[in-house]
Amino acid sequence: MQVFIGIEASPLLSELPDFEQFLQSAAPPLLVHENIYIYNDQQTADVASGLLSEADLHEENHQLIKTEGTAGEDFYDYGFHSGADVFLFTNDLSAFRFTGGSEVQSEMALLQLEEHLVFKTAEGIYFTIDHYTDLVLGIVKAYGVKVEFLDLDK
């Protein structure tokens, strides 16, 4: 998983092609998805955010994680596909992985958790909405398995 910064611009930016071209030359994004400019370094993201703010076109900053895996039911509320790449908005998500318990019990817990998962990575990391953390802990406790929550700010 790789961490990126997404700078969301107002949809009005598309009506200002000269400013949009200036933005992309002054702070070249790694990728643009709809009105989100994606950067892999904070300094360039800050330049883009500042330019958009000065023009009153800045909407929001997002921390993004680029990953691979399988989308859950709530994926499109918390992530997007851009070509072959998958990005998750981490601001409202928590991530965990299984650290203990039998494989059968872990699978049973996952069956119950499935409707609450946003995404499952190829490495076995599960993303859910932040406010489901207590629910996740209750379910895994009921099945006698253990999970470790990961720090998404790194």
Side-chain angles (χ1 to χ4, degrees), residues 5 14 18 26 40 53 108 111 150:
I5 303 108
S14 64
D18 289 341
N40 61 354
S53 292
M108 296 299 291
L111 283 173
L150 308 174

Side-chain angles (χ1 to χ4, degrees), residues 66-103:
K66 180 180 167 186
T67 189
E68 295 177 359
T70 307
E73 289 185 28
D74 293 327
F75 171 75
Y76 289 102
D77 292 334
Y78 298 94
F80 60 90
H81 293 275
S82 184
D85 297 325
V86 176
F87 290 90
L88 299 173
F89 296 102
T90 62
N91 298 355
D92 297 321
L93 297 177
S94 61
F96 65 92
R97 63 178 160 215
F98 287 88
T99 59
S102 75
E103 187 175 329

Side-chain angles (χ1 to χ4, degrees), residues 6 19 22 26 43 45 56 58 64 104 107 114 132 136 141:
F19 184 78
F22 170 70
Q43 186 176 3
D56 202 26
H58 181 261
L64 303 170
V104 171
E107 288 177 18
E114 191 171 312
Y132 287 159
V136 170
K141 182 179 179 183

Side-chain angles (χ1 to χ4, degrees), residues 1-6 30 38-42 62-67 86-88 90-91 127 151-154:
M1 293 188 298
Q2 298 171 288
V3 177
F4 293 88
I5 303 108
L30 193 65
I38 300 170
Y39 299 91
N40 61 354
D41 72 279
Q42 190 65 53
H62 303 281
Q63 181 176 316
L64 303 170
I65 291 179
K66 180 180 167 186
T67 189
V86 176
F87 290 90
L88 299 173
T90 62
N91 298 355
F127 288 85
D151 184 3
L152 294 178
D153 290 334
K154 297 193 182 227

